[in-house]
Amino acid sequence: MNRLSTNPESSDRAPSRGFWVMRDVPTVLWLLIVVIAAFAHRWVPAPRWLMIHLTLLGAVTHAILVWSQYFSFALLRSAATRRERRAQNLRLVLANTGASLVMIGVPTVLWMLTITGATLIAVAASWHGASLVLRARRSLAGRFGHTVHYSIAAAALLVLGVALGGWLAVDGAPPQWVMAHALVNVLGWIGLTVAGTIVTLWPTILGTRAEERAPHGAALALPVLTGGVVIAAA
C-alpha cells in the first residue's frame, strides 16, 4: 500500500491541482458580466459605477482572496487542509454573494440589499485576514514569510473601504468621502496586496534571486505604505 495513503496528515491535505470551482469560475464570470455591462451600458442604471465595481469589487477582489491565501501557504511553508479549503470556499461564497447584492442594490437604490452585501464582504474580509494571522503565528515562516502581513493589512483596509462605500451608498456622503473610499480600496486593498506579492513574485518571473535586503526592506515599507494610505484617505 502507498505510504502516503496511510498518513493522516497527507490524507487531510487539500488537493492542490485540478479544477476548483470557487477558485476558477467566479473571476471569469465577473469579467464576462463586465463585458455585458459595457455593451448594455445605455440601458443599465449607473453604468460607470457598475463597470468599475464589477471589475474591482467582483473580479479583482475574488482573485485576491484566492491567491493571497495561495501565496501565504507557500511563504509560510505549510499546506491547505481540507478543513481550511472548506473555510476558504465559504469565505468566497460570502464575498461573491455580498458583491452581487451590492451590484444590485446600488443601481436599483435598494439600500437593504446594499448594506447586507457590504456586511457580507466585510465579514469575508475579516475572516480572510484572521486566517492569515493565525497561519502566520503557527507556521515556520520562510525568508519572505513576513510579507504575508501585507495581505493582512490589505484585508483590514478592505473592511474600512467597504464601510465607507456602504455609507456613501446610503447617506450620500460628500465627494471627499468618494476619494477616501477609492484610496482605501485601490491603494490599500489592491495596492498593498500587489506590493507584498511582487517582492517574491517578480524575482521568480525573472528567474533570479531576490536581493538580500529585500525582506528587511519589505518589512520597513509596510507601515509606511499603510500609513500613507490612511493619511491620504483622511
Side-chain angles (χ1 to χ4, degrees):
M1 183 179 293
N2 190 323
R3 184 176 299 177
L4 289 177
S5 65
T6 61
N7 187 333
E9 183 178 352
S10 64
S11 64
D12 188 50
R13 182 173 297 181
S16 58
R17 297 183 180 181
F19 180 72
W20 174 15
V21 173
M22 286 309 301
R23 178 193 64 194
D24 302 328
V25 173
T27 297
V28 176
L29 287 179
W30 284 119
L31 293 176
L32 179 61
I33 297 171
V34 172
V35 174
I36 294 172
F39 280 107
H41 70 278
R42 295 185 179 182
W43 301 282
V44 297
R48 182 178 299 177
W49 179 95
L50 187 61
M51 286 186 282
I52 290 173
H53 285 77
L54 283 170
T55 304
L56 300 182
L57 184 59
V60 174
T61 291
H62 175 82
I64 290 175
L65 289 173
V66 169
W67 295 108
S68 58
Q69 288 284 340
Y70 173 84
F71 284 117
S72 75
F73 284 112
L75 293 169
L76 297 173
R77 299 175 178 176
S78 58
T81 64
R82 295 182 184 276
R83 179 179 179 181
E84 288 172 322
R85 179 63 55 81
R86 288 192 295 269
Q88 186 176 1
N89 281 334
L90 182 53
R91 286 194 297 271
L92 294 174
V93 169
L94 287 175
N96 284 281
T97 301
S100 299
L101 293 178
V102 170
M103 303 304 170
I104 297 170
V106 172
T108 58
V109 200
L110 297 174
W111 304 131
M112 285 305 298
L113 282 184
T114 302
I115 294 303
T116 302
T119 301
L120 292 178
I121 298 169
V123 169
S126 301
W127 189 3
H128 170 74
S131 71
L132 295 176
V133 171
L134 292 175
R135 188 171 305 129
R137 288 182 175 179
R138 65 172 182 252
S139 300
L140 181 61
R143 182 181 171 211
F144 288 94
H146 292 295
T147 56
V148 173
H149 294 160
Y150 276 78
S151 295
I152 295 170
L157 288 174
L158 175 60
V159 175
L160 175 60
V162 167
L164 289 172
W167 188 8
L168 282 168
V170 175
D171 286 345
Q176 294 92 330
W177 288 98
V178 178
M179 182 60 70
H181 169 68
L183 284 168
V184 169
N185 285 315
V186 176
L187 295 185
W189 169 233
I190 299 174
L192 283 183
T193 301
V194 172
T197 304
I198 207 70
V199 175
T200 54
L201 184 60
W202 191 242
T204 303
I205 293 173
L206 296 178
T208 186
R209 182 177 176 82
E211 212 277 335
E212 290 295 330
R213 293 171 295 177
H216 180 65
L220 292 178
L222 176 58
V224 176
L225 293 172
T226 306
V229 171
V230 173
I231 291 170

